Amino acid sequence: MSKSDIKSKPKVEEALGKYCSSGNLGKREQKVCYYIDPIKRDVAQPFSTGMPADRVCKRINKTNTEICGVKFPMKTAKLEKKDLSKLRVKQLKKILSERGVDCKGCVEKEEFIKKVMDTEHLAPEL
């Protein structure tokens, strides 16, 4: 979209509709489109004023809490320890479960990080 089109609510709504109606969307994108479709106008208005995506998410979270909850997978191959230390334990557990690894006895975050690094060879290819 051009910058002049972004400032127009109808153009933003049209672009959202066009994107969501394209047939080559993944499951997560389809889920986001399912949630956005009924509230296109509420989404288009803040975008047309130039509001950042995180603020838009906070605003529309009042009407539909599921939209901002859709998580997209992150690439876990070739992550360094400093990158893993920025993740939450919940995210580290999710990475391990995607690899089919159980971390019995892991209590501290460092133990989860070590286990993720030890099982890097099991990381699925994206």
Side-chain angles (χ1 to χ4, degrees):
M1 289 183 69
S2 68
K3 288 194 179 213
S4 61
D5 287 347
I6 290 175
K7 297 202 182 292
S8 168
K9 279 192 282 188
K11 296 273 188 182
V12 173
E13 287 179 44
E14 183 183 325
L16 281 170
K18 188 175 179 182
Y19 176 78
C20 289
S21 65
S22 69
N24 56 350
L25 297 177
K27 292 213 180 273
R28 287 181 176 86
E29 288 88 359
Q30 289 175 350
K31 190 173 188 178
V32 169
C33 285
Y34 172 80
Y35 290 134
I36 285 180
D37 193 44
I39 58 169
K40 264 190 241 180
R41 184 153 301 195
D42 296 337
V43 175
Q45 198 282 325
F47 271 115
S48 66
T49 60
M51 189 180 289
D54 59 333
R55 298 252 335 262
V56 172
C57 192
K58 284 181 185 177
R59 177 180 271 185
I60 62 174
N61 203 22
K62 295 173 188 169
T63 57
N64 193 336
T65 57
E66 290 89 8
I67 294 174
C68 298
V70 177
K71 303 283 188 233
F72 289 86
M74 65 179 273
K75 295 180 181 178
T76 58
K78 306 283 189 267
L79 283 177
E80 295 180 20
K81 187 172 181 172
K82 66 178 181 176
D83 297 327
L84 292 172
S85 65
K86 294 177 184 175
L87 298 177
R88 294 175 182 253
V89 172
K90 184 177 181 179
Q91 293 169 312
L92 294 170
K93 285 181 181 178
K94 188 172 188 295
I95 291 170
L96 289 172
S97 71
E98 287 172 354
R99 294 180 182 177
V101 176
D102 194 23
C103 194
K104 292 209 184 273
C106 294
V107 179
E108 299 293 324
K109 185 175 182 177
E110 286 298 317
E111 295 168 331
F112 285 101
I113 292 172
K114 184 178 183 325
K115 191 73 164 182
V116 168
M117 292 183 74
D118 291 344
T119 60
E120 188 174 353
H121 64 285
L122 299 174
E125 295 295 322
L126 292 177

